[in-house]
Amino acid sequence: MTILISIIVLSVLVMFHEFGHFIVAKLSGSRVNEFSIGFGPRLFKKKYGETEYSFRALLFGGYVALEGEDEKSNDPRAIVNKPWPVRLAVFAAGPLMNILLAFLLLFIVFFNIGSPIPQVKSVMEGYPAEKAGILPGDKIVMVNNIKINTWEELEKAISSTKDKEIQITIERDSNIITKDIKPVFDKQSSKNMIGIIPEYKRSLPWAFTNAIDKTVYFLKMIVITLGMLIGGKVSANDIMGPVGIVYTIGTVAKTGLLNLMTFSAFISAYLGLFNLLPFPALDGGRILFVLIEAVRGEPVPPEKEGYIHYIGFMILIALILFVTYRDVLRMF
């Protein structure tokens, strides 16, 4: 079951990535020879129009085979014969689609979780709120005569106090009640609190904003990690390979669907950002060659570029084999 869930998750991530290349190529009028999920032997193939759609045995990847991608072509619709802005859009579309998928997954997660509102769901035993008589269902409307509209405003008003008593105005059964409460410092959260658990309400704007923030956070974290790896501050042995990803997806899946979606969003953001690295065979490497053409006014000969990408691909395969070997050692 773990392997099946992992295959489904990885297949979806790869499919979104390749669909990004595919749809932009099609919209630009470029010829697409094959749309493949996975590498290796074909398990399934079907041709519609000029494009063959295939499903292959090794699901840790995929590709869109564009006419003239690594060689010259006389076909006017070949990608090599398209203006450089078109090629730039086609090559960037895959990674950007992964980042978009990360946002969409996080949006679904946050919408299902809902957003906290300044209404009490429960009170924590032994905390100031309980001692002051705050009850479940109470709606907090003001703190020190300042109107409270959101849970974030309430948290900020409470956490900003420094060992001072605050006046909290609540609405209970259409009655307005005022309580004087002195927050306590919570070591675990490192902030002042009165000990209340909020109610949650589903909100599209809140889910949208938090999905953007979380996606940006994931991207920043990935950039920092890659920078530490390049700088030697993180060992290559700490990199998770295909086997490690499959194992982790299976482990996270056992904790619930929303956790699985959050982890899948992280992996999708990682795939998107990793593929933008300016390394041969990656989308970022192809983008680099397009930008070189834009600067110098003429392209690098397709055969030479194709050879460089081939060398880069072999290096990537070697890296995948290495991290897979390390994954197996860690597991056993």
Side-chain angles (χ1 to χ4, degrees), residues 237-259:
N237 294 332
D238 296 326
I239 301 175
M240 185 184 299
V243 174
I245 292 174
V246 168
Y247 177 79
T248 305
I249 289 174
T251 301
V252 173
K254 295 176 183 178
T255 66
L257 178 59
L258 294 182
N259 287 335

Side-chain angles (χ1 to χ4, degrees), residues 42-181:
R42 285 189 181 94
L43 301 178
F44 169 83
K45 67 175 181 177
K46 183 71 175 179
K47 191 166 186 177
Y48 291 98
E50 65 185 20
T51 304
E52 181 177 270
Y53 300 85
S54 61
F55 194 82
R56 297 172 181 262
L58 303 177
L59 295 177
F60 303 110
Y63 62 89
V64 171
L66 302 171
E67 177 70 23
E69 187 172 8
D70 293 314
E71 58 188 4
K72 290 182 178 180
S73 173
N74 294 323
D75 189 335
R77 297 175 58 223
I79 190 69
V80 70
N81 296 324
K82 292 290 183 179
W84 71 262
V86 171
R87 282 180 283 133
L88 181 65
V90 171
F91 296 141
L96 293 179
M97 185 64 80
N98 272 131
I99 295 173
L100 175 61
L101 175 60
F103 163 79
L104 293 174
L105 289 172
L106 291 170
F107 176 81
I108 294 172
V109 169
F110 283 118
F111 182 73
N112 276 274
I113 292 174
S115 59
I117 60 176
Q119 185 166 340
V120 181
K121 180 179 182 180
S122 61
V123 293
M124 300 170 66
E125 186 177 351
Y127 276 78
E130 182 191 44
K131 296 176 181 178
I134 300 292
L135 300 177
D138 287 349
K139 182 179 180 180
I140 298 175
V141 294
M142 286 193 295
V143 174
N144 290 336
N145 294 318
I146 298 175
K147 190 174 181 180
I148 297 297
N149 296 304
T150 66
W151 174 257
E152 288 74 18
E153 291 177 352
L154 176 60
E155 276 196 320
K156 185 178 180 180
I158 294 174
S159 62
S160 62
T161 60
K162 296 182 179 179
D163 299 324
K164 293 181 180 179
E165 195 172 67
I166 58 176
Q167 186 182 78
I168 292 182
T169 303
I170 63 174
E171 181 182 328
R172 179 189 298 168
D173 298 327
S174 301
N175 297 316
I176 300 298
I177 303 171
T178 299
K179 300 283 187 179
D180 292 323
I181 302 177

Side-chain angles (χ1 to χ4, degrees), residues 294-315:
V295 172
R296 69 197 295 254
E298 58 179 333
V300 175
E303 293 80 4
K304 291 184 178 180
E305 181 181 343
Y307 178 74
I308 293 173
H309 288 310
Y310 174 77
I311 297 298
F313 179 75
M314 297 307 295
I315 293 174

